[in-house]
Coordinates of all heavy atoms in Angstrom, one line a residue:
R1 N 10.3 24.7 0.9 CA 10.8 23.4 0.5 C 10.6 22.3 1.5 O 10.3 21.2 1.2 CB 12.3 23.5 0.1 CG 12.5 24.3 -1.2 CD 14.0 24.9 -1.3 NE 15.0 23.9 -1.1 CZ 15.5 23.1 -2.0 NH1 15.0 23.2 -3.3 NH2 16.4 22.2 -1.8
I2 N 10.8 22.6 2.8 CA 10.6 21.6 3.8 C 9.1 21.3 3.9 O 8.8 20.1 4.0 CB 11.1 22.2 5.2 CG1 12.6 22.3 5.2 CG2 10.7 21.3 6.3 CD1 13.2 23.1 6.3
L3 N 8.2 22.3 3.9 CA 6.8 22.0 4.0 C 6.3 21.3 2.8 O 5.3 20.6 2.9 CB 6.1 23.3 4.2 CG 6.2 23.9 5.7 CD1 5.6 25.3 5.7 CD2 5.6 23.0 6.7
D4 N 6.9 21.5 1.6 CA 6.5 20.7 0.4 C 6.6 19.2 0.7 O 5.8 18.4 0.3 CB 7.4 21.1 -0.7 CG 7.0 22.4 -1.4 OD1 5.9 22.9 -1.1 OD2 7.8 23.0 -2.1
V5 N 7.7 18.8 1.4 CA 7.9 17.4 1.8 C 6.9 17.0 2.9 O 6.2 16.0 2.8 CB 9.3 17.2 2.2 CG1 9.5 15.7 2.6 CG2 10.3 17.5 1.1
L6 N 6.8 17.8 3.9 CA 5.9 17.4 5.0 C 4.4 17.4 4.7 O 3.7 16.6 5.2 CB 6.1 18.4 6.2 CG 7.5 18.5 6.8 CD1 7.6 19.5 7.9 CD2 7.9 17.1 7.4
D7 N 4.0 18.2 3.7 CA 2.6 18.3 3.3 C 2.3 17.3 2.2 O 1.1 17.2 1.9 CB 2.3 19.7 2.8 CG 2.3 20.7 3.9 OD1 2.3 20.3 5.1 OD2 2.4 21.9 3.6
T8 N 3.2 16.6 1.7 CA 3.0 15.7 0.6 C 2.4 14.4 1.1 O 3.0 13.7 2.0 CB 4.3 15.4 -0.2 OG1 4.7 16.6 -0.8 CG2 4.0 14.3 -1.3
E9 N 1.2 14.0 0.7 CA 0.6 12.8 1.1 C 1.1 11.6 0.2 O 1.0 11.8 -1.1 CB -0.9 12.9 1.1 CG -1.5 13.8 2.1 CD -1.3 13.3 3.5 OE1 -1.2 12.0 3.7 OE2 -1.2 14.1 4.4
P10 N 1.6 10.5 0.7 CA 2.0 9.4 -0.2 C 0.9 8.9 -1.0 O -0.3 8.7 -0.5 CB 2.6 8.4 0.8 CG 2.0 8.8 2.1 CD 1.7 10.2 2.1
T11 N 1.2 8.5 -2.2 CA 0.1 7.9 -3.1 C -0.2 6.5 -2.7 O -1.2 5.9 -3.0 CB 0.5 8.0 -4.5 OG1 1.8 7.4 -4.7 CG2 0.6 9.5 -5.0
V12 N 0.8 5.9 -2.0 CA 0.6 4.5 -1.5 C 0.4 4.5 0.0 O 1.3 4.9 0.7 CB 1.8 3.6 -1.9 CG1 1.7 2.2 -1.3 CG2 1.9 3.5 -3.4
S13 N -0.7 4.0 0.5 CA -1.0 4.0 1.9 C -2.0 2.9 2.1 O -2.7 2.4 1.2 CB -1.5 5.3 2.4 OG -2.7 5.7 1.7
S14 N -2.1 2.5 3.4 CA -3.0 1.4 3.8 C -4.5 1.9 3.6 O -4.7 3.1 3.9 CB -2.8 1.0 5.2 OG -1.5 0.3 5.3
P15 N -5.4 1.1 3.2 CA -6.8 1.5 3.1 C -7.4 1.7 4.5 O -6.8 1.4 5.5 CB -7.5 0.4 2.3 CG -6.6 -0.8 2.6 CD -5.2 -0.3 2.7
A16 N -8.6 2.3 4.5 CA -9.2 2.6 5.8 C -9.5 1.3 6.6 O -9.3 1.3 7.8 CB -10.6 3.4 5.5
E17 N -9.9 0.3 5.9 CA -10.2 -1.0 6.6 C -9.4 -2.1 5.9 O -9.9 -2.9 5.1 CB -11.7 -1.3 6.6 CG -12.5 -0.3 7.4 CD -14.0 -0.6 7.4 OE1 -14.4 -1.7 6.8 OE2 -14.8 0.1 8.0
P18 N -8.1 -2.2 6.2 CA -7.3 -3.2 5.4 C -7.4 -4.6 5.9 O -7.9 -4.9 7.0 CB -5.9 -2.7 5.7 CG -6.0 -2.1 7.1 CD -7.3 -1.5 7.1
V19 N -7.0 -5.5 5.0 CA -6.9 -6.9 5.3 C -5.6 -7.1 6.1 O -4.6 -6.7 5.6 CB -7.0 -7.8 4.1 CG1 -6.8 -9.3 4.4 CG2 -8.3 -7.6 3.3
R20 N -5.7 -7.7 7.3 CA -4.5 -7.7 8.1 C -4.0 -9.2 8.3 O -3.0 -9.4 9.0 CB -4.8 -7.2 9.5 CG -5.2 -5.7 9.5 CD -5.4 -5.1 10.8 NE -5.9 -3.7 10.8 CZ -5.1 -2.7 10.7 NH1 -3.8 -2.8 10.6 NH2 -5.7 -1.5 10.6
E21 N -4.6 -10.2 7.7 CA -4.2 -11.5 7.9 C -4.0 -12.2 6.5 O -4.7 -12.0 5.6 CB -5.2 -12.3 8.7 CG -5.4 -11.9 10.1 CD -6.3 -12.7 10.9 OE1 -6.8 -13.7 10.3 OE2 -6.6 -12.4 12.1
L22 N -2.9 -13.0 6.5 CA -2.6 -13.8 5.3 C -2.2 -15.2 5.7 O -1.7 -15.4 6.8 CB -1.4 -13.1 4.5 CG -1.6 -11.8 3.8 CD1 -0.3 -11.3 3.3 CD2 -2.6 -12.0 2.6
P23 N -2.5 -16.2 4.8 CA -2.2 -17.6 5.2 C -0.7 -17.7 5.2 O 0.1 -16.9 4.6 CB -2.9 -18.4 4.1 CG -3.0 -17.4 2.9 CD -3.3 -16.1 3.6
P24 N -0.2 -18.8 5.8 CA 1.3 -19.0 5.9 C 1.9 -19.1 4.5 O 3.0 -18.6 4.3 CB 1.4 -20.4 6.6 CG 0.1 -20.5 7.4 CD -0.9 -19.9 6.5
R25 N 1.3 -19.7 3.5 CA 1.9 -19.8 2.2 C 0.9 -19.1 1.2 O -0.3 -19.4 1.2 CB 2.0 -21.3 1.8 CG 3.1 -22.0 2.6 CD 3.0 -23.6 2.4 NE 3.4 -23.9 1.1 CZ 4.7 -24.1 0.7 NH1 5.7 -23.9 1.6 NH2 5.0 -24.5 -0.5
V26 N 1.4 -18.2 0.4 CA 0.6 -17.4 -0.4 C 1.0 -17.5 -1.9 O 2.1 -17.9 -2.2 CB 0.7 -15.9 0.0 CG1 0.2 -15.7 1.4 CG2 2.1 -15.3 -0.1
T27 N 0.1 -17.2 -2.7 CA 0.3 -17.2 -4.2 C 0.4 -15.7 -4.7 O -0.4 -14.9 -4.2 CB -0.8 -17.9 -4.9 OG1 -0.8 -19.3 -4.5 CG2 -0.6 -17.8 -6.4
L28 N 1.3 -15.4 -5.5 CA 1.5 -14.1 -6.1 C 0.9 -14.2 -7.5 O 1.3 -15.0 -8.3 CB 2.9 -13.6 -6.1 CG 3.2 -12.3 -6.9 CD1 2.5 -11.1 -6.3 CD2 4.7 -12.1 -7.1
E29 N 0.0 -13.2 -7.9 CA -0.5 -13.2 -9.2 C -0.7 -11.8 -9.7 O -1.1 -10.9 -9.0 CB -1.9 -13.9 -9.2 CG -2.6 -14.0 -10.6 CD -3.9 -14.7 -10.5 OE1 -4.3 -15.1 -9.4 OE2 -4.5 -14.8 -11.6
L30 N -0.3 -11.6 -11.0 CA -0.5 -10.4 -11.7 C -1.5 -10.6 -12.8 O -1.4 -11.5 -13.6 CB 0.8 -9.8 -12.3 CG 1.6 -8.9 -11.4 CD1 2.2 -9.7 -10.2 CD2 2.7 -8.2 -12.1
R31 N -2.6 -9.7 -12.9 CA -3.6 -9.8 -13.9 C -3.6 -8.6 -14.7 O -4.0 -7.5 -14.2 CB -5.0 -10.1 -13.2 CG -5.1 -11.4 -12.5 CD -6.5 -11.5 -11.9 NE -6.7 -12.7 -11.1 CZ -7.7 -12.9 -10.3 NH1 -8.7 -12.1 -10.3 NH2 -7.8 -14.1 -9.6
D32 N -3.2 -8.7 -16.0 CA -3.1 -7.5 -16.9 C -2.6 -6.3 -16.2 O -3.1 -5.2 -16.4 CB -4.5 -7.2 -17.4 CG -5.1 -8.4 -18.3 OD1 -4.3 -9.0 -19.0 OD2 -6.3 -8.7 -18.2
A33 N -1.5 -6.5 -15.5 CA -0.9 -5.3 -14.7 C -0.2 -4.4 -15.7 O 0.4 -4.8 -16.7 CB 0.1 -5.8 -13.7
G34 N -0.4 -3.1 -15.4 CA 0.3 -2.1 -16.2 C 0.7 -0.9 -15.4 O 0.1 -0.7 -14.3

């Protein structure tokens, strides 16, 4: 049971080459999100 947790890879993680900078003021937008 312990190793089940330790071996589980999260489905949400940073990409290999992520974007690391955002402007001071940002816009949030959802496009046909489901």
Side-chain angles (χ1 to χ4, degrees):
R1 289 158 51 87
I2 291 169
L3 286 173
D4 283 344
V5 177
L6 296 179
D7 293 343
T8 298
E9 292 295 330
T11 54
V12 174
S13 58
S14 295
E17 297 181 359
V19 177
R20 300 182 184 277
E21 294 184 2
L22 288 174
R25 294 168 67 83
V26 299
T27 299
L28 171 66
E29 183 180 0
L30 272 69
R31 294 180 185 172
D32 294 322

